[in-house]
Amino acid sequence: MLESSILIRTTAVAVIMLLFFTLSSAQLGLTISDLVHGSNNAAKDGGGSKCAACVAGVKVVDDASRYYDEDVNAVFRRICSAIPQPFRIGCNTFVSKYGKKIISALSTGMTPEQVCRISGFCSEEKQCTLYKKWPLPIRNEKASKNSVFIVDYEEPIKDSNNIFSDMMNAVKRSMVTHKPAMDPDSDGFSTFKQLRGSNWRGKDCNGGDKTVYPGSKAAPFLGYFDGNCNGLKQADERKYCPNGIRQFAALGDSMTAHFELPEDLFFVSRWTNELFADLPNLIMMEADHPQKSFFTGFEDVLSVAGRFRQLDRCNHRQFQNGGVNGISSNNLMFGAKALNFKKKDHPMTVVISIVGNDICSHCDADDKADCMTTVDDFEKNIVEVLDHLHDNMPRGSHVVFGGLVDGRVLYDTLQDQIHPLGVTYSDFYEFMECTGASPCLQWMSKNETLRNVASQRAHDLSEVYPKIIAEHASKYGDVFQMAYIGEYLNDMLGMFTKEEMVKVIASVDGFHASQYAQQYIADIVYNKLTKIPGALPKENPNNARIIQRFGDQGGF
């Protein structure tokens, strides 16, 4: 089972818990909280992710009460009724357990922090304050025609309690293993989009045969069927695919997974049925969007994997996204083992990119600089992962390293901007640090010295990659070549002015790259890969013929 440290205090959990608090279930929230924090988090850290999520949720519910001019009980009913079954059960269960206490507290004029303390989500011992002034005026916007948010009441579906329980178990399973939860033949691929399925890795085309999956070299039934799910039979590949197949995989953290929460959740004037109907999908996706990411996206972006397909249509579906929220070099092996590849498969290009969690580490030290991964430990961790890849990857592959980011841009850009919760990012960061839910104490801190030390360490860790290449090239060269593409996110950040940078950083967590930034990053990474011999597939002269005969090749 995955060690709980992998997800400790990540923004992903903090904000997903907000969804659970306001929109889903205490049952699921406690499951993931236990995975992430253990039982002593609240007393030790001021409440942790549960506290931060509760405060944000209470604020949004209070906004909705005033915006719709209805009591909080009606707001809860409005929200729960908009969530599809069976997830609506979780929302109703949560309201039944905590609703009366929250409604009573809000009616007396308590701040969200006070409401969450008496509800047991925030610590009484360490009291953290986000709202120095309360209540805040609602940040109203003129509602569009599509944001009427008409509630549709439905009868509960039969056996919905059992279905909800099964879904919660599937969510937990995919978050623990980082492998598809719906995978009947256990080949590491799925036809189900969510739960680490085909949004994360190429869609399986035969759920009953574990030898058939994206990247497989198997040739079932003498080549008369599609053995690697690219939409071409093996016999067709011999005709249309002179360059063979080249897979692409990304191994990294929440930047690789493309974590981003919808800002519209925090602005009640933007609430729609569609927004709430999509929340179960958001939960089953861990609030990640790999299908829209710069590494492996196939929606709203021409990603690196998309470029592999563009160069050679035979590479359709030959991708995997191994991004894990909260992962660092210390537990990168869990992500590596979740990727599916075998020695006998087609060669692949794997990009390893852990851009910040070795800096954004939590520990009990007074000086938070002492929590960061040391250069020696970082090197040891990466080499261990390379040993695993060497033992399991197909020959003729590439491993490409991406450096860490200079995270000072976060505080420098956002400190005086207003967060969707109605406070400055400086106050938001301080509150997250107090509760113990901050995704990065080192860079999301008012302490400029600490931010500078963190960025120097990030650069020092990036410099480990060229050292590994110089010292270990011969050790791994029989299976894969290695290359380093530098601190590519810094290259992207350098394209924007400080005023423009606001669009690049995801607004809700103030930490990740926004959807707006994904295409810029994809282009930078792709251009760097063009300079690495053999890392990209060659252009296929038969692409037009493949499109003409096979169309979208079964889609994604």
Side-chain angles (χ1 to χ4, degrees), residues 248 293-299 301-313 315-319 522 526 537 556:
F248 176 79
S293 69
F294 62 87
F295 273 138
T296 61
F298 50 86
E299 296 177 5
V301 64
L302 179 58
S303 65
V304 177
R307 293 277 196 170
F308 273 57
R309 178 177 183 265
Q310 186 181 62
L311 287 168
D312 191 339
R313 296 283 297 205
N315 295 321
H316 177 62
R317 291 185 183 169
Q318 311 300 298
F319 70 90
Y526 171 73
F556 291 94

Side-chain angles (χ1 to χ4, degrees), residues 8 15 17-18 106 119 146 304 308 347 372 436 444 450 501 517:
I8 287 180
V15 191
M17 284 292 292
L18 164 63
L106 278 176
S119 300
N146 295 326
V304 177
F308 273 57
M372 299 184 290
M444 297 164 71
L450 178 59
M501 202 74 72

Side-chain angles (χ1 to χ4, degrees), residues 122-408:
C122 293
S123 171
E124 287 285 358
E125 289 78 14
K126 184 179 181 181
Q127 298 190 2
C128 305
T129 300
L130 179 62
Y131 294 105
K132 301 176 176 67
K133 187 181 192 180
W134 185 260
L136 296 180
I138 303 174
R139 298 175 68 188
N140 280 341
E141 300 173 350
K142 186 176 180 180
S144 69
K145 187 176 181 180
N146 295 326
S147 61
V148 179
F149 193 61
I150 300 173
V151 179
D152 180 22
Y153 295 97
E154 297 178 359
E155 292 296 322
I157 60 177
K158 186 178 180 181
D159 297 326
S160 52
N161 277 297
N162 292 333
I163 296 173
F164 178 71
S165 178
D166 290 343
M167 290 304 301
M168 295 305 95
N169 289 332
V171 171
K172 179 180 178 180
R173 187 163 63 249
S174 66
M175 290 189 73
V176 168
T177 65
H178 310 302
K179 295 180 180 181
M182 308 294 191
D183 181 13
D185 59 6
S186 300
D187 62 4
F189 294 86
S190 177
T191 59
F192 190 74
K193 288 184 177 182
Q194 298 85 4
L195 301 175
R196 292 276 163 173
S198 61
N199 278 346
W200 295 88
R201 48 186 77 189
K203 183 179 179 180
D204 198 354
C205 55
N206 189 335
D209 188 339
K210 65 181 180 181
T211 69
V212 177
Y213 54 85
S216 173
K217 266 190 177 180
F221 304 102
L222 302 177
Y224 292 109
F225 289 84
D226 183 359
N228 56 34
C229 303
N230 66 355
L232 282 70
K233 299 174 184 177
Q234 294 261 342
D236 294 321
E237 284 189 13
R238 290 192 286 271
K239 181 178 181 180
Y240 293 107
C241 304
N243 303 324
I245 304 294
R246 188 163 195 89
Q247 305 180 71
F248 176 79
L251 177 59
D253 50 27
S254 52
M255 197 71 72
T256 294
H258 184 20
F259 174 87
E260 186 174 14
L261 221 87
E263 184 184 75
D264 290 354
L265 281 173
F266 298 84
F267 294 89
V268 294
S269 60
R270 303 183 199 173
W271 283 6
T272 64
N273 283 350
E274 292 75 19
L275 175 66
F276 283 78
D278 191 52
L279 290 178
N281 174 64
L282 196 66
I283 293 171
M284 290 188 288
M285 287 296 296
E286 304 169 39
D288 294 327
H289 307 270
Q291 77 279 15
K292 297 183 178 183
S293 69
F294 62 87
F295 273 138
T296 61
F298 50 86
E299 296 177 5
D300 303 332
V301 64
L302 179 58
S303 65
V304 177
R307 293 277 196 170
F308 273 57
R309 178 177 183 265
Q310 186 181 62
L311 287 168
D312 191 339
R313 296 283 297 205
C314 298
N315 295 321
H316 177 62
R317 291 185 183 169
Q318 311 300 298
F319 70 90
Q320 298 183 56
N321 188 309
V324 177
N325 297 333
I327 208 167
S328 70
S329 72
N330 296 296
N331 36 44
L332 186 63
M333 185 67 80
F334 289 107
K337 290 182 176 180
L339 293 176
N340 184 77
F341 43 75
K342 300 178 178 67
K343 281 286 186 184
K344 63 182 181 180
D345 288 345
H346 290 289
M348 60 199 311
T349 296
V350 177
V351 177
I352 295 178
S353 175
I354 38 176
V355 301
N357 288 315
D358 285 278
I359 303 303
C360 305
S361 301
H362 289 249
C363 69
D364 294 331
D366 292 333
D367 186 352
K368 297 309 176 185
D370 294 337
C371 302
M372 299 184 290
T373 304
T374 66
V375 169
D376 289 343
D377 284 345
F378 187 82
E379 180 176 355
K380 175 178 68 69
N381 295 335
I382 298 300
V383 169
E384 287 177 355
V385 170
L386 292 175
D387 288 342
H388 169 77
L389 297 180
H390 180 262
D391 291 342
N392 293 277
M393 281 177 65
R395 293 179 182 273
S397 295
H398 280 71
V399 173
V400 179
F401 304 109
L404 282 73
V405 69
D406 183 348
R408 287 177 294 190

Side-chain angles (χ1 to χ4, degrees), residues 387-509:
D387 288 342
H388 169 77
L389 297 180
H390 180 262
D391 291 342
N392 293 277
M393 281 177 65
R395 293 179 182 273
S397 295
H398 280 71
V399 173
V400 179
F401 304 109
L404 282 73
V405 69
D406 183 348
R408 287 177 294 190
V409 65
L410 301 173
Y411 198 89
D412 292 347
T413 300
L414 297 177
Q415 58 179 307
D416 296 323
Q417 300 291 322
I418 301 299
H419 186 273
L421 288 174
V423 298
T424 64
Y425 277 90
S426 177
D427 288 342
F428 172 71
Y429 289 160
E430 187 175 11
F431 173 73
M432 294 290 279
E433 178 178 349
C434 177
T435 61
S438 174
C440 192
L441 292 171
Q442 289 78 1
W443 276 321
M444 297 164 71
S445 169
K446 291 183 177 180
N447 186 334
E448 183 178 5
T449 300
L450 178 59
R451 299 199 304 270
N452 291 336
V453 169
S455 289
Q456 181 59 54
R457 177 64 60 84
H459 180 70
D460 293 342
L461 296 185
S462 295
E463 290 299 303
V464 168
Y465 291 127
K467 180 175 183 288
I468 289 175
I469 293 172
E471 295 179 357
H472 296 275
S474 59
K475 177 181 178 182
Y476 303 123
D478 60 321
V479 175
F480 54 77
Q481 303 297 311
M482 294 183 289
Y484 176 53
I485 58 173
E487 297 167 338
Y488 65 95
L489 287 177
N490 292 343
D491 296 337
M492 182 274 295
L493 294 170
M495 298 171 61
F496 300 94
T497 65
K498 183 176 180 179
E499 291 71 27
E500 295 170 329
M501 202 74 72
V502 175
K503 295 187 293 184
V504 173
I505 304 171
S507 65
V508 174
D509 60 66

